[in-house]
Amino acid sequence: MLPLVTQRRARVRRLLIGAPLPSSAHEGQLLRKRMALPIFASDPLSSVAYAPQELLLILAAGGTALVAFTPLVATAVVTLLIVVVVSTRQLVRAYPSGGGDYEVAARNLGERAGLVVASALLIDYVLTVAVSVASGVDNIISALPGLHEWRVEIALACVAALVAINLRGVAEASKVFAIPTYLFIGSVLVMIVVGGVRDLTGSLPVAESARYAEHGAQLSQAAMVLVLLRAFASGCSALTGVEAIANGVQAFRRPKVRNAQLTLVAMGSVAITLFVGVTYLMLRTHVHYVADPCSLSGITSCDTYVQRSVIAQVASATLGGDRSVGFYVVQATTALVLLLAANTAFNGFPLLGAVLGRARYAPKAMLARGDRLVFSNGVLILGTAAGLLLLATDASLTVLIQLYIIGVFVSFTLGQTGMVVHWTRRAELLSRHGRATRGVHARRVVNVIGAAATSVVLVIVTVTKFTHGAWLVFLLMPVLWFLMLKVNRYYAAVEVQIAPDGSTRFGSSGDHAIVLVHTLHKPALKAIDYALAAEHASLEAVHVATSRSGARALRAQWEEMGMAVPLTILESPYRDVSTPLIEHIKSHRDEHGSEVVSVYAPHYVYGHWWEGLLHNRKLGRIEKRLALCPGVAVVLVPWLLDSTQALFERQPRPLVGLERRGVSGLPPVRRNSP
Amino acid sequence: MLPLVTQRRARVRRLLIGAPLPSSAHEGQLLRKRMALPIFASDPLSSVAYAPQELLLILAAGGTALVAFTPLVATAVVTLLIVVVVSTRQLVRAYPSGGGDYEVAARNLGERAGLVVASALLIDYVLTVAVSVASGVDNIISALPGLHEWRVEIALACVAALVAINLRGVAEASKVFAIPTYLFIGSVLVMIVVGGVRDLTGSLPVAESARYAEHGAQLSQAAMVLVLLRAFASGCSALTGVEAIANGVQAFRRPKVRNAQLTLVAMGSVAITLFVGVTYLMLRTHVHYVADPCSLSGITSCDTYVQRSVIAQVASATLGGDRSVGFYVVQATTALVLLLAANTAFNGFPLLGAVLGRARYAPKAMLARGDRLVFSNGVLILGTAAGLLLLATDASLTVLIQLYIIGVFVSFTLGQTGMVVHWTRRAELLSRHGRATRGVHARRVVNVIGAAATSVVLVIVTVTKFTHGAWLVFLLMPVLWFLMLKVNRYYAAVEVQIAPDGSTRFGSSGDHAIVLVHTLHKPALKAIDYALAAEHASLEAVHVATSRSGARALRAQWEEMGMAVPLTILESPYRDVSTPLIEHIKSHRDEHGSEVVSVYAPHYVYGHWWEGLLHNRKLGRIEKRLALCPGVAVVLVPWLLDSTQALFERQPRPLVGLERRGVSGLPPVRRNSP
């Protein structure tokens, strides 16, 4: 069953985002595992591109002595990753509906805790997009340094492209994403293997920045510990994205939980392998990566020195230099997978938005699925927020990373804690029924470890990043939290207001109609025609005289045309139409008792969006005022302008009156038939 | 006669912008001459703040040799100013309706020439705001260098303040503006007198930048001439604002033309005096002002050197140093009058917008006067455009000046040329009637000189500024020109479409009503109630089933409540409501002949703007689709939420049904009475 009206705008939309799908096609939109891996794993996998370098950057501030701690810090990060993957695997099984950490916290720790998680995740999804795009652009510029000036513009263009791709729907998106993701995994694995072999055979070159050295800083022990913790915190950015699978369980094909769990484990394994491999090569090629290139000793012109990303330097060293095919493959796939990592957020955010919308913590509009069964509003809001953030921070990765991962670790911590409560309740339930609780206790231990670890990381991350920009996140989270609570209370209040109770009486009576006439053109004539057809008990035409000459001309025209409907002309000392009209209606209702008054007003319908700037403004203001007047209903009589031709394409429309006489399908067409 | 509804929003608006005024109060809003001078003169007067320095800046590029030409260039600028004032004086008399250069060009040179002027002026008004605000902020920072980082934010705040002041209406604005303008005139005059006296007595100190010197550049003669011309072009920014009086003649009190002319002459005289005085002092105190401070010899740390504006340096030198009262007075009044010079544009732009709207070259919305008899849309559009421009250029005065005055000189040139044509036609008319034409010929000579002078300046300005940014203006002007022409042709086409002709037939008949029901809450019950009251020939309730459980529940509730209206449930394989509904209506019309179908839909009315994000979205989409369906009228039945309480303040509203029985004024109130 095709839609009645084909729109030219819809044609353009279809080109951009594909034909509409019926609800039954939903199953086909669900993900196979091998398609799901790229979608959900691109975030954690792409962290491999920047987590090692951010880790090194912070250690390098302490000089060569601290850089030696890199393997230790990296090991801590890997351990935490394993803990989080295992804990989330349990969560997915226990709460397969897709609410993720939010649902766990809401059900086990209370509404307010759930909203904390929701606000944290929403913010972090935006940051995921921003960080991934910034990092991707970094890598593009590492390969093509001439584009340096256009950082922000390229970043915004990438966000726009991601929005467009995601409006096309998940299944389409996954095809686009699968190839670069697998290429990335493949090329980095190849790089690691090649690098490992060359290292073992002693033929591993050093990176381009190996000839420099950090300035050794004399640090107290306390300061050293702080630097180590900050480095650990930055390295933990490798964990982001794991929670998105928990939000996306429903997007998998059946058996949904099992597939989600398998994908989760696969994702974790690959991520660990790549992270360890890149870090290893980073150390073996003696990469030096610092916050401020001028602090490197041995560097000649630090103003013009373009510090390339760690992955770029490692790939260049390992695979045969800047001109080698391997280098360009790694750079290209890294940039692509970073851009696509942003896509993990484009899956998680709208899904979370819909969950919140269903629970009335977000506008109901978040539930609206577009033609492609995608939560379009969520996609658009995420794109806009990420774009603004990139604009505000000049697409600077280092700035953005300071804001990052706070939200994720709030979510992890509360999610794991919620799971602990969940298993505790389950254990009580089982023991009450005399069943074994050992399995449950074991699961609970896992989540206890997870909660403890992530809360420690949360504290570390908060303390180390607070003054560097994280305070902003701690400002925004309560704001979002508050807004969501207010929206929920608002919808609840409205529900109460509109719930039917015994007090509602029928019995409005009386039926007066007014036709608003400004000049006697076709739209006005059509409105009069419709009002006559509805056979109201009484009918009058009303003109509000904003100029005397206009009123006189109308009266003359009225009499000339011999209009059967009586014309009332109202004075208007103010410039507006609404007030005299409302006064007139009120006095009518005072005289005739409270009748229902229907106000007929012609309403232009046009084919192009910009025509909206040129029409219907005055009518909109009048409508708003009339809505506040008791007993009034506004009847919009549409007048289709010629531009709506575009919307009708090939539908013939009979002349006024002809259709009624049984004649149809005649050109020329008048679109304003009765 | 008070408006029926007092709105809380209106209360806030009233605080911000004052109580609404009836049309008859318009006379009191017109300007006295002494109030008019500040309003219209603040633009030319404030140019005194930056014209001398921009002139010097360009000459300084050629070294000390070219700086010696400053008096010559300044004299040329003053001469041109006199010519323009005299020419405009004639224009004001000949075309007192306020169309200014636009009207002159349109009436004498044709529609397209008029639109060229209109586009040039619109762009230049935006630039006036941007340049004045940027210069004002410059002066603020010259007095308080610590604010340097917040340039753009301060500039945007100033624009916002100007918008708010102007929404309050002209008479109010003039009181605010009069004091700083007169203070500025007074303090600069005092500064000039003091400086002159000190100079004559040999006790004039030098400016702080006197100890530096420009690097002498070896320039060819052609290059020297070019530099002189560029300096002249920059100095001509002192002429901007003169045309605004021509747009504002109707804003004066009677006799309008004479008052406008007197104000014009007064304005010109004061501007010339201040310009000459400041330039004289600038030279005598040996100010050095350059584009790049690092090019000055004798300067130690050019990165941190804050180059203060010429007015600041002259005031400091003349009036006793940076801590003197005189210095702060001059700085403060200069900053204020620059900000207020932006206000000249806030008078000219909306007036021009209204003139264009009346002639259908701009959306009719430009004619809408707000509560305070101000063209609110024009004010808002100008504020937004200027804000965006400041944002894009980082509030940099030197960048903005390159775009400036092109539009003004296009306007001057075409206006003067139009006047020449005007006088020529008038001379022919007079000589055909045998009357003397000498006076007319004399007037024509004045305008010929004016046209020649301004066209020469236009060429100079274009050539010298083109590569520095003026190309942007030459890009935007045709775009605006094209848009205005298209809007005019569009409105004309619509007029043709809706003009009544013999083909319009009455005779829609049949009267079917549909009530859209989603759930059976109070708004839906009210809609059913109104539909029943209107006593349509046939009535049915329609529910589009987006979920089976919802449909079942509704059917059950319908039967439980014993609703008299038949309920039809439509399937919806797609997720939308519109398509099944439209199919249903079409099949009804196929069966019963083309009846008028009224679709009743409940429509939430709320008291706060943000509630709009939470309601009525789906209804809006349905309305749009229904408007394209022939024979359908949409009836909006308002349901007032509790938040509209704010809008009603102290109006008691009777219970449902009670009012009809003659009982009224009882609390508690239900706002949804029949």
Side-chain angles (χ1 to χ4, degrees), chain B residues 383-417:
Chain B
T384 310
L388 288 174
L389 189 57
L390 283 167
L391 205 60
T393 57
D394 259 347
S396 154
L397 180 61
T398 315
V399 171
L400 288 166
I401 285 236
Q402 302 309 315
L403 306 170
Y404 202 21
I405 86 174
I406 308 260
V408 166
F409 275 90
V410 168
S411 164
F412 281 155
T413 306
L414 286 175
Q416 298 300 315
T417 313

Side-chain angles (χ1 to χ4, degrees), chain B residues 249-272:
Chain B
V249 180
Q250 287 302 315
F252 283 85
R253 288 198 182 165
R254 305 174 192 281
K256 296 184 188 236
V257 171
R258 206 173 115 76
N259 285 340
Q261 287 178 322
L262 286 168
T263 309
L264 186 57
V265 170
M267 182 176 91
S269 317
V270 174
I272 290 172

